[in-house]
Amino acid sequence: ASLLDRAPADVRAALGVPDTRELDLEAITAKDGALYLGLKAPAEGAQARIWKVAAPDKLLAGELGSVSVFAKLSLIHEADGRSVPAGICDMVFAGTTLLVGATASGIEPTTQHGALYAVSLATLAATRVRVFDGLKPEGLAISADPTKIAIAFDRGSETPRWLELSLDEARGTR
């Protein structure tokens, strides 16, 4: 956030974060030497952003030049009985698909139904695959069985829950 605060306004605007007070960066994954950062907030215009950090070493050295917008995903979510923009809680690459866990962006609703989205890397189109009533999918990982994905749910002060789905089901191909 401090790098963004020092960056020119046009750089912040291009990344979709004109003001870092709203920045909520929760998701991180890697592919082919690049890092991918998923923003939970802001979800400007109901579009959650994923940044690609092509040169993580340069970012760690204090340079924003290797950071670009990889994707803008239209994610809509049910919270407190209404549709709201969703943000990215976690994500993981699974072959030609990016799996994304999403919850409400920029608000703390009383009730919400988190969702799992499959993003085609060919088109960068997001498809909602599954809705989790009353649960927030805050952690995604390829399971110990590489044909499955593990999803961890944040339940506040209650004991967390988790489940495994086949990758075919997670991708929406089954």
Side-chain angles (χ1 to χ4, degrees):
S2 61
L3 288 176
L4 285 169
D5 285 334
R6 292 189 302 268
D10 62 324
V11 170
R12 291 192 308 272
L15 292 173
V17 184
D19 184 348
T20 59
R21 289 179 290 183
E22 297 179 23
L23 181 62
D24 186 355
L25 210 147
E26 288 199 7
I28 186 168
T29 193
K31 184 174 177 70
D32 300 329
L35 291 178
Y36 294 81
L37 308 175
L39 280 66
K40 186 168 180 186
E44 184 180 353
Q47 292 193 320
R49 283 179 171 68
I50 298 173
W51 293 340
K52 179 178 180 179
V53 182
D57 55 332
K58 290 183 180 180
L59 179 64
L60 293 173
E63 298 175 29
L64 277 175
S66 70
V67 181
S68 62
V69 175
F70 172 72
K72 296 178 187 177
L73 306 178
S74 295
L75 308 177
I76 301 297
H77 191 67
E78 282 294 315
D80 291 339
R82 61 189 170 99
S83 292
V84 299
I88 301 168
C89 296
D90 203 5
M91 57 191 181
V92 64
F93 285 101
T96 60
T97 305
L98 178 65
L99 302 173
V100 173
T103 62
S105 175
I107 62 171
E108 288 295 329
T110 303
T111 60
Q112 65 175 304
H113 306 296
L116 176 67
Y117 288 84
V119 178
S120 162
L121 295 179
T123 63
L124 296 180
T127 302
R128 187 167 49 190
V129 175
R130 188 151 175 190
V131 174
F132 304 103
D133 292 341
L135 295 172
K136 299 182 290 183
E138 297 277 349
L140 303 178
I142 301 300
S143 181
D145 175 346
T147 67
K148 296 181 180 180
I149 182 174
I151 304 172
F153 300 97
D154 177 1
R155 298 180 64 216
S157 61
E158 296 182 43
T159 302
R161 294 174 72 184
W162 69 280
L163 68 82
E164 282 185 320
L165 294 177
S166 74
L167 284 175
D168 286 341
E169 185 177 353
R171 290 182 185 118
T173 57
R174 185 190 94 155

